[in-house]
Amino acid sequence: MIIRKANISDSKHIAPILLLAMEDLIYKFIAKKDYAAAKDFLQYFVEKENNQYSYQNCFVAEADNEIIGAVNIYNGADLEVLRNPIVEYVRTNFNSEFDPEFESQAGEFYIDTLGVNPHHRGKGIGSKILQFLIEEYVHKNKQTLGLLVDEDNPLAKNLYLKLGFKVVGEKKLVGKKLDHLQISAN
């Protein structure tokens, strides 16, 4: 397995993998529980540049010429600029009142979404992607990584804690309470 920066041709594979981890959130964005519409919405943005979900902000895990995992990560300081195209699109097409909370901020590279192809789960791929990010961002570049985890997902939270993340607070995103975790070189 290799982990590499994504390119535009990966987009059709990235979108359904990321959607696995954020399906309920995208349903709130598009104001309906429709998998095909949610996948199309996400793929539309993964294929485009300069937005929160762009392939430019993704790494993929690849094995035997198949993308088996994907992660979306960006500088938290850039969230507002990266999110604007999405907010405008949602307001124009789905919900004119859409105004999501900021889930990240300056001072951290934010792991927005991490997904693993269901046929490859249970093989440690998610852990390997996280270890790759910790090595690249924290150890090599002395950055802080941050992420949010649902309080209803203790298995994921335990994995993050085992890898060295620490709970630094709570955040809300589209009305859901989440734990904010970070890992730093300090």
Side-chain angles (χ1 to χ4, degrees):
M1 180 182 83
I2 62 161
I3 299 172
R4 63 171 173 78
K5 195 80 170 120
N7 56 57
I8 194 166
S9 64
D10 299 323
S11 299
K12 67 180 183 288
H13 304 290
I14 294 170
I17 291 173
L18 294 182
L19 189 58
L20 293 166
M22 61 190 304
E23 198 170 332
D24 290 340
L25 185 66
I26 299 297
Y27 290 157
K28 288 182 180 185
F29 284 18
I30 65 173
K32 60 183 169 183
K33 193 170 183 175
D34 178 335
Y35 178 83
K39 185 170 117 354
D40 289 347
F41 172 89
L42 193 55
Q43 186 166 332
Y44 174 80
F45 284 105
V46 171
E47 290 173 343
K48 292 201 169 306
E49 295 185 355
N50 304 315
N51 75 79
Q52 183 175 2
Y53 303 123
S54 173
Y55 70 90
Q56 296 170 306
N57 301 319
C58 293
F59 287 90
V60 294
E62 187 176 39
D64 301 320
N65 294 317
E66 179 187 5
I67 293 177
I68 58 175
V71 62
N72 176 238
I73 181 171
Y74 47 83
N75 188 332
D78 298 335
L79 176 59
E80 188 169 5
V81 169
L82 292 172
R83 177 179 278 168
N84 277 340
I86 293 158
V87 170
E88 292 306 314
Y89 186 87
V90 170
R91 286 179 180 163
T92 301
N93 295 288
F94 301 104
N95 175 2
S96 62
E97 305 295 314
F98 185 68
D99 190 24
E101 303 89 340
F102 288 102
E103 68 257 42
S104 184
Q105 71 271 331
E108 71 178 7
F109 276 80
Y110 178 64
I111 302 170
D112 187 301
T113 310
L114 170 68
V116 175
N117 178 313
H119 301 296
H120 295 276
R121 287 197 179 145
K123 299 177 183 176
I125 294 163
S127 294
K128 288 177 183 158
I129 293 171
L130 287 165
Q131 289 165 341
F132 168 83
L133 294 175
I134 291 167
E135 180 62 27
E136 289 295 311
Y137 287 86
V138 178
H139 297 185
K140 286 184 183 172
N141 295 306
K142 306 301 181 214
Q143 300 290 337
T144 297
L145 282 177
L147 55 81
L148 299 180
V149 63
D150 192 324
E151 59 185 6
D152 298 332
N153 193 348
L155 288 176
K157 184 175 178 179
N158 287 338
L159 170 63
Y160 303 140
L161 295 173
K162 185 176 131 191
L163 291 172
F165 284 85
K166 307 267 187 265
V167 177
V168 295
E170 288 181 354
K171 294 203 178 251
K172 274 197 167 191
L173 185 59
V174 290
K176 193 158 188 67
K177 192 172 99 174
L178 304 160
D179 286 327
H180 182 200
L181 283 69
Q182 289 184 333
I183 185 171
S184 302
N186 314 359

